[in-house]
Amino acid sequence: MDETDVLELIENYKNIKDRVEYVSNKFDRRNVALVAVSKTKPVEMIRILYEKGHRHFGENYVIQELIQKSEELASLNEIKWHYIGSIQSNKIKHLASVKNLYVVETVEKKEVLDKFAKSWDLEKSNNTKLNIMIQVNTSQEESKSGCHPNDCLELVKYCVEDEKCKEKLNFLGLMTIGSPNATEDQPDFKCLVECKNNIAKNTGIPLESIQLSMGMSHDFEPAIEFGSTSVRVGSAIFGDRDYSKKN
Ligand SMILES: *Cc1c(COP(=O)(O)O)cnc(C)c1O
């Protein structure tokens, strides 16, 4: 990266942070987190934002990227990795061993909860439980991951009630990927909010404690308006992704 690239990255980052803050204030939303989605981008870029005080980064390839990056950046002690990719059963052990893994946002079934509960090492993580988000397929498109909106209550209950799960895992909230051509009334975001309300109503979990991870580069502003507490922004910070260079 040359100097212009560095300046551009920092400017994009500041611009997105400002926009997040502006919309949060406008709609009286407090503490909306910004997750910088660094997938396919070099560790150098992550380092630059870390130096600017940023801590939350999102990745979605366990083996190829997250493991490698977390090792290369092991000295950045306060980094908080969000895993936002699809979960293959045979990679869960690997994923659970990633240093500074903060949350797995894409859990969609009980078996995956069981496996994380089994793989998570409480001692190694200073007695901190692994944060879990349940991904909901709010648009119910077949191609999309996530559980059916009607099934998320049961999954959350399992996460907070099952002996093994509750010992190792902390239910943090719900996640969805909005439809890229959503209408202004944002049915995906509304659906996730309804799921959250339903969970609070039917469990002892306080409504305010349930986080919602929704909103990406093209729709983080409406997402905040509709109640997102954590937006995942990639290309608007790091620039377009070039998948052709990957091997
Ligand atoms: C890549 C990705 C993002 C970021 O997408 P942008 O459009 O680049 O902001 C957010 N969430 C998930 C799950 C992703 O895979």
Side-chain angles (χ1 to χ4, degrees):
M1 289 174 79
D2 62 26
E3 204 176 324
T4 339
D5 296 334
V6 175
L7 289 177
E8 193 181 322
L9 171 63
I10 294 171
E11 193 172 305
N12 287 344
Y13 169 65
K14 285 192 173 149
N15 172 34
I16 296 299
K17 260 185 68 136
D18 286 349
R19 282 165 63 188
V20 167
E21 198 181 301
Y22 175 80
V23 185
S24 304
N25 288 335
K26 185 169 165 192
F27 296 99
D28 205 18
R29 308 276 178 214
R30 262 149 255 243
N31 303 322
V32 176
L34 170 62
V35 178
V37 177
S38 44
K39 64 188 186 201
T40 79
K41 300 295 178 179
V43 289
E44 210 184 337
M45 290 180 120
I46 298 176
R47 230 185 261 282
I48 289 165
L49 296 190
Y50 187 91
E51 278 162 19
K52 291 280 156 204
H54 197 75
R55 293 294 177 265
H56 291 266
F57 293 89
E59 290 284 343
N60 71 347
Y61 301 96
V62 186
I63 298 297
Q64 302 92 321
E65 268 199 285
L66 182 54
I67 291 180
Q68 200 184 337
K69 283 177 170 169
S70 64
E71 282 170 7
E72 281 179 54
L73 298 171
S75 64
L76 310 185
N77 272 317
E78 291 173 16
I79 203 162
K80 291 176 166 49
W81 294 111
H82 291 235
Y83 185 70
I84 58 172
S86 61
I87 297 172
Q88 289 162 269
S89 283
N90 60 347
K91 309 253 168 83
I92 289 178
K93 253 180 114 165
H94 276 104
L95 188 49
S97 70
V98 165
K99 194 181 173 218
N100 295 319
L101 178 66
Y102 172 71
V103 57
V104 178
E105 297 199 7
T106 41
V107 174
E108 56 177 15
K109 48 185 181 218
K110 283 183 185 169
E111 297 73 53
V112 170
L113 288 170
D114 287 334
K115 285 207 167 147
F116 274 113
K118 208 170 149 201
S119 310
W120 188 247
D121 189 336
L122 273 179
E123 261 170 57
K124 258 197 194 160
S125 41
N126 299 319
N127 271 319
T128 315
K129 294 179 189 180
L130 174 63
N131 288 319
I132 294 286
M133 284 186 155
I134 303 297
Q135 182 175 1
V136 184
N137 185 355
T138 47
S139 60
Q140 293 172 50
E141 288 165 61
E142 292 233 355
S143 60
K144 288 255 184 81
S145 335
C147 69
H148 189 282
N150 293 342
D151 295 334
C152 69
L153 173 62
E154 199 192 325
L155 261 175
V156 172
K157 275 189 172 166
Y158 187 75
C159 186
V160 299
E161 287 170 5
D162 176 79
E163 287 304 322
K164 292 213 172 76
C165 289
K166 73 178 181 195
E167 184 195 338
K168 303 277 196 75
L169 310 177
N170 174 51
F171 169 66
L172 195 65
L174 306 173
M175 179 269 207
T176 191
I177 300 174
S179 174
N181 33 27
T183 45
E184 259 178 43
D185 61 334
Q186 302 293 347
D188 287 303
F189 300 157
K190 274 191 186 158
C191 175
L192 204 66
V193 171
E194 277 164 25
C195 290
K196 166 174 157 164
N197 293 339
N198 190 40
I199 288 164
K201 210 171 95 188
N202 291 286
T203 64
I205 306 170
L207 186 69
E208 330 73 72
S209 76
I210 303 171
Q211 303 213 11
L212 295 184
S213 171
M214 57 189 199
M216 310 178 16
S217 289
H218 69 283
D219 60 2
F220 71 91
E221 285 156 321
I224 294 170
E225 179 183 348
F226 278 75
S228 175
T229 62
S230 183
V231 293
R232 310 177 306 267
V233 180
S235 45
I237 294 175
F238 296 101
D240 289 337
R241 287 177 291 272
D242 180 0
Y243 287 99
S244 65
K245 274 194 237 154
K246 275 184 69 88
N247 47 35

